[in-house]
């Protein structure tokens, strides 16, 4: 029956949550210098924490050093570039670890954000401009980067800056349930019934340098089990952008790539060659694959943050391999990339690959044990 015709149905009121409050947690140390390790621990055994809405608040100042004559500003997503790696643990079990979170979260932002997202400014994503205070996704252990070169950009070579972090804190939403729902949850907990934690892991890989002077590259990404078989593979390139204060670290070079093929146990994705030519503005196939990723991850009717023109200087190659023949679903998965360009690869060009795959953990509420689901 149509919802509009259910005129005699009683109204329903959701009173399962009686209160929400945000509490702030601080790291054990107050030193936020380069190469420092920052650990934030939450000791809450009987609390319900809405970790998906937690925020890492970073406060600091950026000033020009003596003698600088040019302009200086924060880069987009500058907060994430402060860290070399970020690890999230649950009851001593590593749930996720992200190396180079600046690159990974910037790529994820281009893929999953849209220009109408009201949280972008507060998150340091005032695209294409920048903010001074940033909010990052939740994690628990942070290794500060060896330098701050990727957090700001200068307009002149003689300009430099000094970034000082004054405070880092974690804000977590606590949820309080009504008595009926609380009793129901406690009944299940007393049975020590496993709680499944399904999510998609963004696994980062880096090729330090493409072979200079050639136009083709074969990159063996990894060998994994069928449980970690990829759903999507994201590929990006940067030439002389890392640790270069004069360049925008949030750019990803297109290298006039003509074709990228993903090889999974000798099965190729996409099926046909893309035949791209960025210099001739013939990259519609790559842009279409980029927009389709947003539609598969978002539940709205918006479009991702990059339009067709911006995509040329922030190029992300998205390969959907979520649908595969059962014949190649073996116990061992071999993942390779075949890259072709219309020009020779320039020197100092890095390649990035993010493999998105499913992962399931289970938590036993009475013992606190967290393990991989069988």
């Amino acid at each position: 029956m149509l919802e509009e015709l259910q005129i005699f149905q009683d109204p329903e009121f959701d009173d399962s949550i009686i209160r929400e409050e945000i509490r702030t947690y601080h790291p054990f140390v107050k030193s936020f210098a380069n190469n420092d390790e920052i650990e934030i621990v939450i000791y809450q055994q009987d609390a319900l924490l809405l970790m998906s809405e937690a925020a890492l608040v970073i406060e600091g100042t950026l000033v020009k050093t003596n003698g600088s004559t040019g302009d200086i500003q924060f880069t987009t997503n500058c907060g994430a570039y402060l860290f070399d790696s970020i690890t999230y643990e649950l009851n001593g079990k590593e749930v996720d670890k992200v190396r180079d979170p600046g690159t990974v979260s910037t790529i994820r932002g281009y893929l999953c954000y849209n220009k109408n997202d009201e949280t972008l400014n507060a998150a340091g994503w005032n695209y294409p401009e920048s903010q001074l205070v940033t909010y990052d996704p939740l994690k628990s252990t942070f290794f500060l980067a060896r330098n701050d070169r990727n957090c700001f950009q200068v307009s002149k070579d003689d300009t430099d800056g000094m970034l000082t972090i004054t405070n880092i804190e974690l804000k977590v939403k606590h949820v309080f349930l009504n008595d009926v729902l609380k009793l129901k949850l406690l009944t299940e907990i007393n049975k020590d019934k496993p709680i499944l934690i399904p999510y998609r892991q963004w696994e980062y890989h880096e090729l330090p340098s493409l072979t200079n002077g050639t136009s083709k590259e074969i990159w063996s990404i990894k060998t994994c089990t069928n449980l970690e078989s990829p759903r999507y593979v994201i590929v990006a390139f940067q030439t002389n952008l890392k640790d270069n204060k004069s360049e925008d670290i949030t750019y990803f070079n297109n290298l006039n790539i003509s074709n990228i093929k993903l090889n999974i146990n000798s099965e190729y994705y996409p099926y046909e060659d893309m035949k791209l030519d960025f210099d001739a503005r013939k990259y519609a196939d790559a842009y279409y694959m980029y927009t389709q990723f947003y539609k598969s991850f978002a539940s709205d009717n918006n479009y991702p943050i990059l339009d067709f023109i911006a995509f040329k200087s922030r190029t992300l190659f998205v390969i959907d391999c979520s649908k595969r023949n059962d014949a190649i679903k073996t116990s061992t998965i071999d993942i390779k990339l075949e890259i072709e360009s219309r020009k020779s690869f320039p020197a100092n060009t890095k390649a990035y690959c993010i493999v998105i795959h499913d992962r399931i953990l289970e938590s036993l509420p009475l013992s606190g044990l967290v393990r991989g689901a069988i």
Side-chain angles (χ1 to χ4, degrees):
M1 182 183 296
L2 292 176
E3 182 178 352
E4 292 80 1
L5 299 179
Q6 298 177 5
I7 57 177
F8 298 107
Q9 183 174 344
D10 294 334
E12 296 181 359
F13 301 96
D14 185 4
D15 58 355
S16 56
I17 297 177
I18 60 175
R19 190 169 84 254
E20 292 181 345
E21 60 188 32
I22 295 177
R23 299 183 183 180
T24 302
Y25 296 88
H26 299 276
F28 291 126
V29 298
K30 290 298 182 181
S31 173
F32 306 122
N34 294 126
N35 296 312
D36 279 354
E37 178 180 344
I38 301 171
E39 186 175 18
I40 302 176
V41 179
I42 301 177
Y43 294 106
Q44 295 285 349
Q45 293 186 350
D46 299 324
L48 293 177
L49 311 180
L50 198 57
M51 305 303 282
S52 60
E53 296 186 12
L56 182 71
V57 182
I58 306 170
E59 298 177 359
T61 58
L62 175 64
V63 296
K64 290 193 293 185
T65 55
N66 294 335
S68 297
T69 61
D71 297 326
I72 185 172
Q73 67 175 8
F74 281 99
T75 57
T76 293
N77 195 29
C78 60
Y81 286 104
L82 287 170
F83 305 102
D84 270 342
S85 66
I86 300 177
T87 304
Y88 175 43
E89 295 182 358
L90 180 62
N91 290 344
K93 172 70 173 181
E94 182 179 295
V95 176
D96 202 357
K97 181 175 182 178
V98 180
R99 295 184 299 110
D100 196 354
T103 299
V104 174
S105 61
T106 297
I107 291 175
R108 182 164 185 162
Y110 287 151
L111 289 167
C112 300
Y113 292 164
N114 66 78
K115 293 183 179 180
N116 298 322
D117 193 333
E118 297 178 353
T119 65
L120 287 182
N121 286 348
W125 271 84
N126 191 13
Y127 176 80
E129 299 175 356
S130 303
Q131 289 291 101
L132 301 186
V133 179
T134 73
Y135 292 75
D136 280 349
L138 164 75
K139 303 296 173 189
S140 61
T141 303
F142 310 84
F143 292 89
L144 285 169
R146 59 187 179 276
N147 63 65
D148 304 320
R149 287 287 182 262
N150 297 313
C151 299
F152 58 84
Q153 184 181 4
V154 300
S155 61
K156 293 184 178 180
D157 291 339
D158 69 347
T159 304
D160 206 347
M162 182 175 66
L163 177 61
T164 303
I165 303 301
T166 57
N167 187 42
I168 294 178
E169 58 188 24
L170 183 65
K171 293 185 177 295
V172 181
K173 182 179 290 187
H174 287 237
V175 178
F176 300 86
L177 307 179
N178 64 25
D179 292 338
V180 175
L181 184 55
K182 186 187 300 183
L183 180 61
K184 182 179 179 181
L185 288 178
L186 287 174
T187 300
E188 296 297 328
I189 289 174
N190 287 332
K191 298 177 183 177
D192 206 19
K193 183 178 180 180
I195 301 172
L196 294 181
I197 310 173
Y199 62 99
R200 285 185 177 174
Q201 189 164 27
W202 292 52
E203 185 178 302
Y204 172 79
H205 300 267
E206 177 181 319
L207 185 64
S209 179
L210 292 176
T211 305
N212 185 24
T214 66
S215 60
K216 294 184 179 180
E217 186 82 54
I218 297 179
W219 181 10
S220 296
I221 304 297
K222 61 178 293 190
T223 299
C224 61
T225 65
N226 188 45
L227 295 175
E228 297 179 343
S229 59
R231 285 187 171 271
Y232 294 90
V233 171
I234 317 298
V235 186
F237 307 96
Q238 286 187 330
T239 300
N240 197 31
L241 297 182
K242 203 81 165 183
D243 299 330
N244 188 343
K245 64 181 181 179
S246 300
E247 300 292 340
D248 190 340
I249 190 62
T250 66
Y251 276 49
F252 294 98
N253 306 101
N254 63 64
L255 302 184
N256 204 12
I257 294 293
S258 58
N259 190 41
I260 289 185
K261 285 283 191 181
L262 175 66
N263 184 332
I264 302 180
N265 288 3
S266 300
E267 189 85 5
Y268 284 93
Y269 301 87
Y271 178 75
E272 293 185 344
D273 292 345
M274 287 189 278
K275 300 178 181 179
L276 306 173
D277 190 343
F278 282 85
D279 288 352
R281 292 172 57 92
K282 296 180 180 179
Y283 55 91
D285 286 350
Y287 184 72
Y288 174 77
M289 295 165 71
Y290 162 73
T291 59
Q292 291 302 111
F293 180 90
Y294 180 87
K295 292 181 179 180
S296 69
F297 265 66
S299 58
D300 55 51
N301 294 320
N302 291 303
Y303 288 90
I305 195 169
L306 300 178
D307 59 27
F308 186 77
I309 301 301
F311 181 79
K312 186 177 181 179
S313 59
R314 297 172 175 85
T315 307
L316 302 176
F317 298 94
V318 181
I319 302 175
D320 183 350
C321 52
S322 57
K323 301 176 180 62
R324 296 201 301 275
N325 192 319
D326 289 337
I328 66 170
K329 291 183 179 180
T330 60
S331 58
T332 302
I333 303 293
D334 188 42
I335 305 173
K336 296 180 181 179
L337 279 171
E338 298 181 10
I339 305 166
E340 298 181 22
S341 173
R342 295 184 181 276
K343 299 179 180 179
S344 298
F345 300 129
N348 197 23
T349 298
K350 296 178 179 291
Y352 307 115
C353 175
I354 297 178
V355 178
I356 303 176
H357 62 82
D358 295 332
R359 191 180 185 195
I360 302 177
L361 298 178
E362 64 177 17
S363 173
L364 300 177
L366 287 184
S367 63
L369 179 65
V370 179
R371 62 191 182 190
I374 300 176

